[in-house]
Amino acid sequence: MSKVILITGASSGIGKAIGDFLCNKNFKVYGTSRDPSKYLGSNFQLFDLNVNNSASINKCIDEIIKIEGGIDVLINNAGVGITGPLEEIPEIEIENNFKTNFFGPLNIIKKILPFMRSKKSGLIINITSLAAYVGTPYRSVYSASKAALDLVSETLNMEIKPFNINVVTIAPGEFSTNIASRRYHAFSEKTSPYHLKYSKALELMNNHVDGGADPKLIGKLVLKIINSKNPKKKYIAGSFIEKIAPYLKLLLPQKYFENIIMKNY
Ligand SMILES: NC(=O)c1ccc[n+]([C@@H]2O[C@H](COP(=O)([O-])OP(=O)(O)OC[C@H]3O[C@@H](n4cnc5c(N)ncnc54)[C@H](OP(=O)(O)O)[C@@H]3O)[C@@H](O)[C@H]2O)c1
């Protein structure tokens, strides 16, 4: 029997790349989108799901359970970016970001866990970000929402280990997707004291995503994790420098590391 995989936010970018890759490896893949009718050519079935809406979460998961009798692997991938000087990001946008990147994935996990527990088996992969480990200017809220998901994953893994369920995080560095065009950008007036530095940093961030790695690489990593009897708890996906950045942050004097980041942004 091929494993049943559910990937949230699989209409584009990393989620779609994981779905396409696993389809080719004969897994039974289900993805989600807030508007599946826009993606009729998808290689796998897309269910309607908005992670900010509990009714939509319940409906999607109940439908898949009805068809398949269970979900073996949940990949919490749906997410959105947000940039801006913290002082200038409206409260509502901070809340919206946390709803999609943090509260939504938790509600999906809470819905799916009873089914995984009853089978005494399951794998949950939460897509976080390198930004969860290394903060850079004007990405405070995004970093915080992903860091929160990272820490919940760490603690949850210990809670559900007795039920033979693993929780793993993948923290991507820069990958070439649509995330930059979809993220919320705080609008910085020319008179803002942050305007010049934020504009430059934003251009750099967008260039990094555009020139990022192929999301298919994350599909390969997910396959490796699914096939591993004893997966690691945390993976970083990206270049060599992205992989070592969190360790450099721990090893180098704090001021020195901060200077490197500030020089680059
Ligand atoms: N690209 C990178 O460099 C990078 C780096 C680190 C982490 N990540 C993380 O990787 C994940 C995928 O991002 P991506 O780069 O592939 O971006 P993307 O191409 O913009 O894809 C985002 C996906 O999330 C879905 N989505 C957004 N809001 C949603 C909501 N409220 N409910 C349900 N689905 C929602 C979108 O689906 P619909 O619009 O069809 O609903 C879309 O399929 C995100 O969690 C992101 O934070 C990306």
Side-chain angles (χ1 to χ4, degrees), residues 9-15 32-35 39 49-52 77-80 100 127-130 142 146 172-175 177-179 182 209:
S11 61
S12 72
I14 293 172
T32 76
S33 163
R34 284 164 296 175
D35 187 357
Y39 307 96
L49 176 109
N50 183 339
V51 300
N52 301 335
N77 166 75
V80 282
T100 305
I127 306 292
T128 59
S129 172
L130 182 58
Y142 182 71
K146 292 295 190 176
E174 305 290 356
F175 280 80
T177 69
N178 291 326
I179 195 165
R182 291 173 167 183
V209 172

PDB file of all heavy atoms in Angstrom, residues 9-15 32-35 39 49-52 77-80 100 127-130 142 146 172-175 177-179 182 209, ligand 1:
ATOM      1  N   GLY A   9      -0.977  23.911   0.951  1.00  0.00           N
ATOM      2  CA  GLY A   9      -0.345  24.920   0.091  1.00  0.00           C
ATOM      3  C   GLY A   9       0.452  24.272  -1.023  1.00  0.00           C
ATOM      4  O   GLY A   9       1.631  24.578  -1.221  1.00  0.00           O
ATOM      5  N   ALA A  10      -0.231  23.385  -1.780  1.00  0.00           N
ATOM      6  CA  ALA A  10       0.492  22.631  -2.821  1.00  0.00           C
ATOM      7  C   ALA A  10       0.153  23.123  -4.226  1.00  0.00           C
ATOM      8  O   ALA A  10       0.372  22.417  -5.193  1.00  0.00           O
ATOM      9  CB  ALA A  10       0.184  21.146  -2.683  1.00  0.00           C
ATOM     10  N   SER A  11      -0.382  24.332  -4.320  1.00  0.00           N
ATOM     11  CA  SER A  11      -0.715  24.874  -5.647  1.00  0.00           C
ATOM     12  C   SER A  11       0.501  25.490  -6.328  1.00  0.00           C
ATOM     13  O   SER A  11       0.500  25.687  -7.532  1.00  0.00           O
ATOM     14  CB  SER A  11      -1.818  25.931  -5.511  1.00  0.00           C
ATOM     15  OG  SER A  11      -1.370  26.997  -4.690  1.00  0.00           O
ATOM     16  N   SER A  12       1.534  25.818  -5.552  1.00  0.00           N
ATOM     17  CA  SER A  12       2.715  26.447  -6.164  1.00  0.00           C
ATOM     18  C   SER A  12       3.956  26.205  -5.305  1.00  0.00           C
ATOM     19  O   SER A  12       3.867  25.611  -4.223  1.00  0.00           O
ATOM     20  CB  SER A  12       2.491  27.958  -6.329  1.00  0.00           C
ATOM     21  OG  SER A  12       2.545  28.591  -5.066  1.00  0.00           O
ATOM     22  N   GLY A  13       5.085  26.653  -5.835  1.00  0.00           N
ATOM     23  CA  GLY A  13       6.326  26.684  -5.060  1.00  0.00           C
ATOM     24  C   GLY A  13       6.757  25.356  -4.452  1.00  0.00           C
ATOM     25  O   GLY A  13       6.702  24.298  -5.092  1.00  0.00           O
ATOM     26  N   ILE A  14       7.159  25.418  -3.194  1.00  0.00           N
ATOM     27  CA  ILE A  14       7.726  24.262  -2.505  1.00  0.00           C
ATOM     28  C   ILE A  14       6.696  23.137  -2.366  1.00  0.00           C
ATOM     29  O   ILE A  14       7.000  21.965  -2.611  1.00  0.00           O
ATOM     30  CB  ILE A  14       8.291  24.695  -1.129  1.00  0.00           C
ATOM     31  CG1 ILE A  14       9.506  25.613  -1.330  1.00  0.00           C
ATOM     32  CG2 ILE A  14       8.654  23.492  -0.273  1.00  0.00           C
ATOM     33  CD1 ILE A  14      10.045  26.269  -0.064  1.00  0.00           C
ATOM     34  N   GLY A  15       5.464  23.482  -2.000  1.00  0.00           N
ATOM     35  CA  GLY A  15       4.418  22.465  -1.819  1.00  0.00           C
ATOM     36  C   GLY A  15       4.143  21.713  -3.108  1.00  0.00           C
ATOM     37  O   GLY A  15       4.030  20.478  -3.111  1.00  0.00           O
ATOM     38  N   THR A  32      -3.450  20.905  -1.147  1.00  0.00           N
ATOM     39  CA  THR A  32      -4.540  21.848  -0.871  1.00  0.00           C
ATOM     40  C   THR A  32      -4.236  23.203  -1.503  1.00  0.00           C
ATOM     41  O   THR A  32      -3.076  23.550  -1.762  1.00  0.00           O
ATOM     42  CB  THR A  32      -4.769  22.077   0.645  1.00  0.00           C
ATOM     43  OG1 THR A  32      -3.738  22.943   1.142  1.00  0.00           O
ATOM     44  CG2 THR A  32      -4.796  20.783   1.433  1.00  0.00           C
ATOM     45  N   SER A  33      -5.340  23.938  -1.717  1.00  0.00           N
ATOM     46  CA  SER A  33      -5.253  25.327  -2.193  1.00  0.00           C
ATOM     47  C   SER A  33      -6.521  26.015  -1.707  1.00  0.00           C
ATOM     48  O   SER A  33      -7.543  25.351  -1.492  1.00  0.00           O
ATOM     49  CB  SER A  33      -5.205  25.349  -3.720  1.00  0.00           C
ATOM     50  OG  SER A  33      -5.522  26.646  -4.197  1.00  0.00           O
ATOM     51  N   ARG A  34      -6.458  27.342  -1.590  1.00  0.00           N
ATOM     52  CA  ARG A  34      -7.696  28.058  -1.240  1.00  0.00           C
ATOM     53  C   ARG A  34      -8.621  28.141  -2.439  1.00  0.00           C
ATOM     54  O   ARG A  34      -9.796  28.458  -2.283  1.00  0.00           O
ATOM     55  CB  ARG A  34      -7.370  29.461  -0.710  1.00  0.00           C
ATOM     56  CG  ARG A  34      -6.840  29.436   0.708  1.00  0.00           C
ATOM     57  CD  ARG A  34      -6.176  30.732   1.052  1.00  0.00           C
ATOM     58  NE  ARG A  34      -5.008  30.951   0.223  1.00  0.00           N
ATOM     59  CZ  ARG A  34      -4.272  32.046   0.235  1.00  0.00           C
ATOM     60  NH1 ARG A  34      -4.582  33.014   1.049  1.00  0.00           N
ATOM     61  NH2 ARG A  34      -3.213  32.166  -0.549  1.00  0.00           N
ATOM     62  N   ASP A  35      -8.100  27.835  -3.634  1.00  0.00           N
ATOM     63  CA  ASP A  35      -8.945  27.859  -4.830  1.00  0.00           C
ATOM     64  C   ASP A  35      -8.462  26.806  -5.840  1.00  0.00           C
ATOM     65  O   ASP A  35      -7.805  27.147  -6.839  1.00  0.00           O
ATOM     66  CB  ASP A  35      -8.915  29.261  -5.453  1.00  0.00           C
ATOM     67  CG  ASP A  35      -9.910  29.394  -6.592  1.00  0.00           C
ATOM     68  OD1 ASP A  35     -10.575  28.388  -6.919  1.00  0.00           O
ATOM     69  OD2 ASP A  35     -10.026  30.500  -7.143  1.00  0.00           O
ATOM     70  N   TYR A  39      -6.148  25.583 -10.464  1.00  0.00           N
ATOM     71  CA  TYR A  39      -4.991  24.716 -10.740  1.00  0.00           C
ATOM     72  C   TYR A  39      -5.443  23.353 -11.252  1.00  0.00           C
ATOM     73  O   TYR A  39      -5.077  22.304 -10.709  1.00  0.00           O
ATOM     74  CB  TYR A  39      -4.143  24.557  -9.465  1.00  0.00           C
ATOM     75  CG  TYR A  39      -3.758  25.883  -8.857  1.00  0.00           C
ATOM     76  CD1 TYR A  39      -4.515  26.438  -7.814  1.00  0.00           C
ATOM     77  CD2 TYR A  39      -2.678  26.605  -9.345  1.00  0.00           C
ATOM     78  CE1 TYR A  39      -4.188  27.670  -7.275  1.00  0.00           C
ATOM     79  CE2 TYR A  39      -2.348  27.838  -8.804  1.00  0.00           C
ATOM     80  CZ  TYR A  39      -3.103  28.361  -7.774  1.00  0.00           C
ATOM     81  OH  TYR A  39      -2.775  29.581  -7.243  1.00  0.00           O
ATOM     82  N   LEU A  49      -8.717  24.274   0.966  1.00  0.00           N
ATOM     83  CA  LEU A  49      -8.360  24.444   2.389  1.00  0.00           C
ATOM     84  C   LEU A  49      -7.757  25.816   2.628  1.00  0.00           C
ATOM     85  O   LEU A  49      -6.841  26.243   1.933  1.00  0.00           O
ATOM     86  CB  LEU A  49      -7.332  23.378   2.823  1.00  0.00           C
ATOM     87  CG  LEU A  49      -6.845  23.550   4.265  1.00  0.00           C
ATOM     88  CD1 LEU A  49      -7.382  22.469   5.177  1.00  0.00           C
ATOM     89  CD2 LEU A  49      -5.343  23.548   4.362  1.00  0.00           C
ATOM     90  N   ASN A  50      -8.336  26.503   3.610  1.00  0.00           N
ATOM     91  CA  ASN A  50      -7.741  27.745   4.092  1.00  0.00           C
ATOM     92  C   ASN A  50      -7.289  27.467   5.522  1.00  0.00           C
ATOM     93  O   ASN A  50      -8.126  27.164   6.384  1.00  0.00           O
ATOM     94  CB  ASN A  50      -8.778  28.881   4.049  1.00  0.00           C
ATOM     95  CG  ASN A  50      -8.167  30.203   4.474  1.00  0.00           C
ATOM     96  OD1 ASN A  50      -7.134  30.237   5.141  1.00  0.00           O
ATOM     97  ND2 ASN A  50      -8.804  31.292   4.095  1.00  0.00           N
ATOM     98  N   VAL A  51      -5.997  27.551   5.775  1.00  0.00           N
ATOM     99  CA  VAL A  51      -5.504  27.174   7.108  1.00  0.00           C
ATOM    100  C   VAL A  51      -6.024  28.108   8.207  1.00  0.00           C
ATOM    101  O   VAL A  51      -5.940  27.786   9.383  1.00  0.00           O
ATOM    102  CB  VAL A  51      -3.956  27.099   7.169  1.00  0.00           C
ATOM    103  CG1 VAL A  51      -3.394  26.090   6.205  1.00  0.00           C
ATOM    104  CG2 VAL A  51      -3.304  28.444   6.971  1.00  0.00           C
ATOM    105  N   ASN A  52      -6.570  29.250   7.800  1.00  0.00           N
ATOM    106  CA  ASN A  52      -7.100  30.197   8.797  1.00  0.00           C
ATOM    107  C   ASN A  52      -8.537  29.893   9.196  1.00  0.00           C
ATOM    108  O   ASN A  52      -9.121  30.638   9.979  1.00  0.00           O
ATOM    109  CB  ASN A  52      -7.051  31.627   8.252  1.00  0.00           C
ATOM    110  CG  ASN A  52      -5.647  32.044   7.899  1.00  0.00           C
ATOM    111  OD1 ASN A  52      -4.697  31.508   8.457  1.00  0.00           O
ATOM    112  ND2 ASN A  52      -5.500  32.968   6.976  1.00  0.00           N
ATOM    113  N   ASN A  77       2.918  22.921   4.889  1.00  0.00           N
ATOM    114  CA  ASN A  77       3.773  23.774   4.049  1.00  0.00           C
ATOM    115  C   ASN A  77       3.182  25.166   3.817  1.00  0.00           C
ATOM    116  O   ASN A  77       3.920  26.138   3.672  1.00  0.00           O
ATOM    117  CB  ASN A  77       3.990  23.074   2.697  1.00  0.00           C
ATOM    118  CG  ASN A  77       4.560  24.001   1.651  1.00  0.00           C
ATOM    119  OD1 ASN A  77       5.737  24.343   1.670  1.00  0.00           O
ATOM    120  ND2 ASN A  77       3.711  24.454   0.737  1.00  0.00           N
ATOM    121  N   ALA A  78       1.843  25.275   3.802  1.00  0.00           N
ATOM    122  CA  ALA A  78       1.219  26.573   3.482  1.00  0.00           C
ATOM    123  C   ALA A  78       1.797  27.657   4.389  1.00  0.00           C
ATOM    124  O   ALA A  78       1.925  27.464   5.595  1.00  0.00           O
ATOM    125  CB  ALA A  78      -0.292  26.485   3.656  1.00  0.00           C
ATOM    126  N   GLY A  79       2.140  28.778   3.790  1.00  0.00           N
ATOM    127  CA  GLY A  79       2.698  29.859   4.589  1.00  0.00           C
ATOM    128  C   GLY A  79       2.815  31.119   3.765  1.00  0.00           C
ATOM    129  O   GLY A  79       2.756  31.077   2.532  1.00  0.00           O
ATOM    130  N   VAL A  80       2.972  32.230   4.459  1.00  0.00           N
ATOM    131  CA  VAL A  80       3.106  33.516   3.762  1.00  0.00           C
ATOM    132  C   VAL A  80       4.223  34.342   4.397  1.00  0.00           C
ATOM    133  O   VAL A  80       4.507  34.217   5.579  1.00  0.00           O
ATOM    134  CB  VAL A  80       1.791  34.340   3.794  1.00  0.00           C
ATOM    135  CG1 VAL A  80       0.793  33.815   2.790  1.00  0.00           C
ATOM    136  CG2 VAL A  80       1.207  34.402   5.183  1.00  0.00           C
ATOM    137  N   THR A 100      -1.674  32.305   9.653  1.00  0.00           N
ATOM    138  CA  THR A 100      -1.337  31.390   8.556  1.00  0.00           C
ATOM    139  C   THR A 100      -0.108  30.543   8.869  1.00  0.00           C
ATOM    140  O   THR A 100      -0.081  29.347   8.581  1.00  0.00           O
ATOM    141  CB  THR A 100      -1.088  32.193   7.256  1.00  0.00           C
ATOM    142  OG1 THR A 100      -2.228  32.994   7.006  1.00  0.00           O
ATOM    143  CG2 THR A 100      -0.851  31.277   6.072  1.00  0.00           C
ATOM    144  N   ILE A 127       7.129  22.808   7.564  1.00  0.00           N
ATOM    145  CA  ILE A 127       8.071  23.630   6.801  1.00  0.00           C
ATOM    146  C   ILE A 127       8.208  24.961   7.540  1.00  0.00           C
ATOM    147  O   ILE A 127       7.256  25.751   7.609  1.00  0.00           O
ATOM    148  CB  ILE A 127       7.580  23.868   5.349  1.00  0.00           C
ATOM    149  CG1 ILE A 127       7.272  22.535   4.635  1.00  0.00           C
ATOM    150  CG2 ILE A 127       8.619  24.691   4.581  1.00  0.00           C
ATOM    151  CD1 ILE A 127       8.458  21.650   4.324  1.00  0.00           C
ATOM    152  N   THR A 128       9.379  25.164   8.113  1.00  0.00           N
ATOM    153  CA  THR A 128       9.620  26.419   8.849  1.00  0.00           C
ATOM    154  C   THR A 128      10.448  27.335   7.952  1.00  0.00           C
ATOM    155  O   THR A 128      10.046  27.617   6.835  1.00  0.00           O
ATOM    156  CB  THR A 128      10.304  26.135  10.198  1.00  0.00           C
ATOM    157  OG1 THR A 128      11.549  25.451   9.967  1.00  0.00           O
ATOM    158  CG2 THR A 128       9.405  25.304  11.100  1.00  0.00           C
ATOM    159  N   SER A 129      11.597  27.773   8.406  1.00  0.00           N
ATOM    160  CA  SER A 129      12.453  28.635   7.585  1.00  0.00           C
ATOM    161  C   SER A 129      13.796  28.810   8.292  1.00  0.00           C
ATOM    162  O   SER A 129      13.865  28.763   9.524  1.00  0.00           O
ATOM    163  CB  SER A 129      11.810  30.020   7.429  1.00  0.00           C
ATOM    164  OG  SER A 129      12.706  30.908   6.800  1.00  0.00           O
ATOM    165  N   LEU A 130      14.821  29.064   7.500  1.00  0.00           N
ATOM    166  CA  LEU A 130      16.110  29.427   8.092  1.00  0.00           C
ATOM    167  C   LEU A 130      15.935  30.686   8.950  1.00  0.00           C
ATOM    168  O   LEU A 130      16.634  30.891   9.937  1.00  0.00           O
ATOM    169  CB  LEU A 130      17.134  29.669   6.964  1.00  0.00           C
ATOM    170  CG  LEU A 130      18.553  30.006   7.378  1.00  0.00           C
ATOM    171  CD1 LEU A 130      19.163  28.913   8.248  1.00  0.00           C
ATOM    172  CD2 LEU A 130      19.428  30.255   6.156  1.00  0.00           C
ATOM    173  N   TYR A 142       7.954  37.434  10.453  1.00  0.00           N
ATOM    174  CA  TYR A 142       8.091  36.151   9.748  1.00  0.00           C
ATOM    175  C   TYR A 142       8.989  35.217  10.563  1.00  0.00           C
ATOM    176  O   TYR A 142       8.645  34.061  10.817  1.00  0.00           O
ATOM    177  CB  TYR A 142       8.674  36.396   8.352  1.00  0.00           C
ATOM    178  CG  TYR A 142       8.811  35.147   7.525  1.00  0.00           C
ATOM    179  CD1 TYR A 142       7.691  34.501   7.010  1.00  0.00           C
ATOM    180  CD2 TYR A 142      10.068  34.596   7.246  1.00  0.00           C
ATOM    181  CE1 TYR A 142       7.814  33.347   6.247  1.00  0.00           C
ATOM    182  CE2 TYR A 142      10.194  33.450   6.486  1.00  0.00           C
ATOM    183  CZ  TYR A 142       9.067  32.825   5.988  1.00  0.00           C
ATOM    184  OH  TYR A 142       9.196  31.682   5.234  1.00  0.00           O
ATOM    185  N   LYS A 146       7.800  31.567  12.350  1.00  0.00           N
ATOM    186  CA  LYS A 146       8.448  30.303  11.992  1.00  0.00           C
ATOM    187  C   LYS A 146       9.213  29.717  13.183  1.00  0.00           C
ATOM    188  O   LYS A 146       9.273  28.505  13.359  1.00  0.00           O
ATOM    189  CB  LYS A 146       9.388  30.518  10.797  1.00  0.00           C
ATOM    190  CG  LYS A 146       8.646  30.843   9.503  1.00  0.00           C
ATOM    191  CD  LYS A 146       7.783  29.679   9.046  1.00  0.00           C
ATOM    192  CE  LYS A 146       7.223  29.874   7.654  1.00  0.00           C
ATOM    193  NZ  LYS A 146       6.473  28.706   7.180  1.00  0.00           N
ATOM    194  N   PRO A 172      13.816  25.787   5.093  1.00  0.00           N
ATOM    195  CA  PRO A 172      14.461  26.134   3.828  1.00  0.00           C
ATOM    196  C   PRO A 172      15.211  27.467   3.940  1.00  0.00           C
ATOM    197  O   PRO A 172      14.787  28.379   4.656  1.00  0.00           O
ATOM    198  CB  PRO A 172      13.288  26.286   2.840  1.00  0.00           C
ATOM    199  CG  PRO A 172      12.086  25.708   3.531  1.00  0.00           C
ATOM    200  CD  PRO A 172      12.341  25.873   4.994  1.00  0.00           C
ATOM    201  N   GLY A 173      16.325  27.534   3.188  1.00  0.00           N
ATOM    202  CA  GLY A 173      16.984  28.827   2.977  1.00  0.00           C
ATOM    203  C   GLY A 173      16.207  29.539   1.875  1.00  0.00           C
ATOM    204  O   GLY A 173      14.987  29.599   1.926  1.00  0.00           O
ATOM    205  N   GLU A 174      16.922  30.058   0.880  1.00  0.00           N
ATOM    206  CA  GLU A 174      16.223  30.770  -0.200  1.00  0.00           C
ATOM    207  C   GLU A 174      15.904  29.810  -1.348  1.00  0.00           C
ATOM    208  O   GLU A 174      16.810  29.197  -1.901  1.00  0.00           O
ATOM    209  CB  GLU A 174      17.098  31.912  -0.738  1.00  0.00           C
ATOM    210  CG  GLU A 174      17.564  32.898   0.319  1.00  0.00           C
ATOM    211  CD  GLU A 174      16.446  33.775   0.875  1.00  0.00           C
ATOM    212  OE1 GLU A 174      15.307  33.670   0.390  1.00  0.00           O
ATOM    213  OE2 GLU A 174      16.725  34.563   1.797  1.00  0.00           O
ATOM    214  N   PHE A 175      14.621  29.710  -1.704  1.00  0.00           N
ATOM    215  CA  PHE A 175      14.189  28.865  -2.817  1.00  0.00           C
ATOM    216  C   PHE A 175      13.361  29.691  -3.783  1.00  0.00           C
ATOM    217  O   PHE A 175      12.591  30.571  -3.357  1.00  0.00           O
ATOM    218  CB  PHE A 175      13.395  27.654  -2.303  1.00  0.00           C
ATOM    219  CG  PHE A 175      14.303  26.577  -1.783  1.00  0.00           C
ATOM    220  CD1 PHE A 175      14.850  26.672  -0.508  1.00  0.00           C
ATOM    221  CD2 PHE A 175      14.658  25.503  -2.573  1.00  0.00           C
ATOM    222  CE1 PHE A 175      15.725  25.714  -0.024  1.00  0.00           C
ATOM    223  CE2 PHE A 175      15.533  24.530  -2.105  1.00  0.00           C
ATOM    224  CZ  PHE A 175      16.069  24.634  -0.828  1.00  0.00           C
ATOM    225  N   THR A 177      10.542  30.680  -5.612  1.00  0.00           N
ATOM    226  CA  THR A 177       9.082  30.463  -5.650  1.00  0.00           C
ATOM    227  C   THR A 177       8.393  31.831  -5.794  1.00  0.00           C
ATOM    228  O   THR A 177       9.048  32.857  -5.929  1.00  0.00           O
ATOM    229  CB  THR A 177       8.590  29.815  -4.337  1.00  0.00           C
ATOM    230  OG1 THR A 177       8.719  30.782  -3.293  1.00  0.00           O
ATOM    231  CG2 THR A 177       9.350  28.560  -3.975  1.00  0.00           C
ATOM    232  N   ASN A 178       7.052  31.786  -5.654  1.00  0.00           N
ATOM    233  CA  ASN A 178       6.277  33.036  -5.761  1.00  0.00           C
ATOM    234  C   ASN A 178       6.148  33.778  -4.434  1.00  0.00           C
ATOM    235  O   ASN A 178       5.396  34.744  -4.340  1.00  0.00           O
ATOM    236  CB  ASN A 178       4.846  32.723  -6.219  1.00  0.00           C
ATOM    237  CG  ASN A 178       4.826  32.236  -7.642  1.00  0.00           C
ATOM    238  OD1 ASN A 178       5.644  32.684  -8.444  1.00  0.00           O
ATOM    239  ND2 ASN A 178       3.919  31.337  -7.954  1.00  0.00           N
ATOM    240  N   ILE A 179       6.843  33.310  -3.405  1.00  0.00           N
ATOM    241  CA  ILE A 179       6.566  33.837  -2.060  1.00  0.00           C
ATOM    242  C   ILE A 179       6.748  35.354  -1.972  1.00  0.00           C
ATOM    243  O   ILE A 179       5.965  36.047  -1.315  1.00  0.00           O
ATOM    244  CB  ILE A 179       7.397  33.094  -0.975  1.00  0.00           C
ATOM    245  CG1 ILE A 179       6.827  33.400   0.422  1.00  0.00           C
ATOM    246  CG2 ILE A 179       8.877  33.417  -1.063  1.00  0.00           C
ATOM    247  CD1 ILE A 179       7.299  32.484   1.520  1.00  0.00           C
ATOM    248  N   ARG A 182       3.831  37.387  -3.131  1.00  0.00           N
ATOM    249  CA  ARG A 182       2.609  37.209  -2.351  1.00  0.00           C
ATOM    250  C   ARG A 182       2.715  37.720  -0.926  1.00  0.00           C
ATOM    251  O   ARG A 182       1.735  37.756  -0.201  1.00  0.00           O
ATOM    252  CB  ARG A 182       2.265  35.725  -2.279  1.00  0.00           C
ATOM    253  CG  ARG A 182       1.824  35.171  -3.603  1.00  0.00           C
ATOM    254  CD  ARG A 182       1.685  33.697  -3.473  1.00  0.00           C
ATOM    255  NE  ARG A 182       0.986  33.133  -4.603  1.00  0.00           N
ATOM    256  CZ  ARG A 182       0.682  31.860  -4.697  1.00  0.00           C
ATOM    257  NH1 ARG A 182       1.003  31.033  -3.740  1.00  0.00           N
ATOM    258  NH2 ARG A 182       0.056  31.409  -5.751  1.00  0.00           N
ATOM    259  N   VAL A 209      15.360  35.443  -3.178  1.00  0.00           N
ATOM    260  CA  VAL A 209      14.337  34.428  -3.485  1.00  0.00           C
ATOM    261  C   VAL A 209      14.376  34.098  -4.975  1.00  0.00           C
ATOM    262  O   VAL A 209      14.387  32.926  -5.363  1.00  0.00           O
ATOM    263  CB  VAL A 209      12.922  34.903  -3.061  1.00  0.00           C
ATOM    264  CG1 VAL A 209      11.861  33.933  -3.569  1.00  0.00           C
ATOM    265  CG2 VAL A 209      12.828  35.004  -1.549  1.00  0.00           C
TER     266      VAL A 209
HETATM  267  N1  LIG B   1      10.658  30.218  -0.932  1.00  0.00           N
HETATM  268  C1  LIG B   1      11.496  30.341   0.055  1.00  0.00           C
HETATM  269  O1  LIG B   1      12.619  30.815  -0.149  1.00  0.00           O
HETATM  270  C2  LIG B   1      11.118  29.888   1.447  1.00  0.00           C
HETATM  271  C3  LIG B   1      12.112  29.949   2.431  1.00  0.00           C
HETATM  272  C4  LIG B   1      11.809  29.524   3.717  1.00  0.00           C
HETATM  273  C5  LIG B   1      10.545  29.029   4.012  1.00  0.00           C
HETATM  274  N2  LIG B   1       9.596  28.976   3.039  1.00  0.00           N
HETATM  275  C6  LIG B   1       8.284  28.439   3.405  1.00  0.00           C
HETATM  276  O2  LIG B   1       7.889  27.451   2.478  1.00  0.00           O
HETATM  277  C7  LIG B   1       6.469  27.387   2.419  1.00  0.00           C
HETATM  278  C8  LIG B   1       6.014  27.444   0.978  1.00  0.00           C
HETATM  279  O3  LIG B   1       6.323  28.723   0.444  1.00  0.00           O
HETATM  280  P1  LIG B   1       6.683  28.980  -1.089  1.00  0.00           P
HETATM  281  O4  LIG B   1       7.966  29.667  -1.126  1.00  0.00           O
HETATM  282  O5  LIG B   1       6.476  27.746  -1.872  1.00  0.00           O
HETATM  283  O6  LIG B   1       5.583  30.096  -1.452  1.00  0.00           O
HETATM  284  P2  LIG B   1       4.368  30.132  -2.482  1.00  0.00           P
HETATM  285  O7  LIG B   1       4.795  29.702  -3.839  1.00  0.00           O
HETATM  286  O8  LIG B   1       3.764  31.493  -2.322  1.00  0.00           O
HETATM  287  O9  LIG B   1       3.364  29.021  -1.919  1.00  0.00           O
HETATM  288  C9  LIG B   1       2.604  29.239  -0.756  1.00  0.00           C
HETATM  289  C10 LIG B   1       1.488  28.210  -0.691  1.00  0.00           C
HETATM  290  O10 LIG B   1       0.756  28.445   0.514  1.00  0.00           O
HETATM  291  C11 LIG B   1      -0.622  28.449   0.234  1.00  0.00           C
HETATM  292  N3  LIG B   1      -1.313  29.355   1.166  1.00  0.00           N
HETATM  293  C12 LIG B   1      -1.044  30.656   1.448  1.00  0.00           C
HETATM  294  N4  LIG B   1      -1.903  31.135   2.367  1.00  0.00           N
HETATM  295  C13 LIG B   1      -2.740  30.096   2.678  1.00  0.00           C
HETATM  296  C14 LIG B   1      -3.833  29.941   3.565  1.00  0.00           C
HETATM  297  N5  LIG B   1      -4.289  30.943   4.335  1.00  0.00           N
HETATM  298  N6  LIG B   1      -4.446  28.742   3.622  1.00  0.00           N
HETATM  299  C15 LIG B   1      -4.017  27.706   2.849  1.00  0.00           C
HETATM  300  N7  LIG B   1      -2.999  27.780   1.992  1.00  0.00           N
HETATM  301  C16 LIG B   1      -2.358  28.973   1.911  1.00  0.00           C
HETATM  302  C17 LIG B   1      -0.738  28.895  -1.232  1.00  0.00           C
HETATM  303  O11 LIG B   1      -1.886  28.278  -1.811  1.00  0.00           O
HETATM  304  P3  LIG B   1      -3.182  29.039  -2.413  1.00  0.00           P
HETATM  305  O12 LIG B   1      -2.794  30.459  -2.668  1.00  0.00           O
HETATM  306  O13 LIG B   1      -3.465  28.263  -3.673  1.00  0.00           O
HETATM  307  O14 LIG B   1      -4.213  28.849  -1.360  1.00  0.00           O
HETATM  308  C18 LIG B   1       0.522  28.320  -1.851  1.00  0.00           C
HETATM  309  O15 LIG B   1       0.282  27.048  -2.380  1.00  0.00           O
HETATM  310  C19 LIG B   1       5.957  28.544   3.283  1.00  0.00           C
HETATM  311  O16 LIG B   1       5.601  28.057   4.560  1.00  0.00           O
HETATM  312  C20 LIG B   1       7.161  29.464   3.381  1.00  0.00           C
HETATM  313  O17 LIG B   1       7.129  30.260   4.538  1.00  0.00           O
HETATM  314  C21 LIG B   1       9.856  29.397   1.767  1.00  0.00           C
END
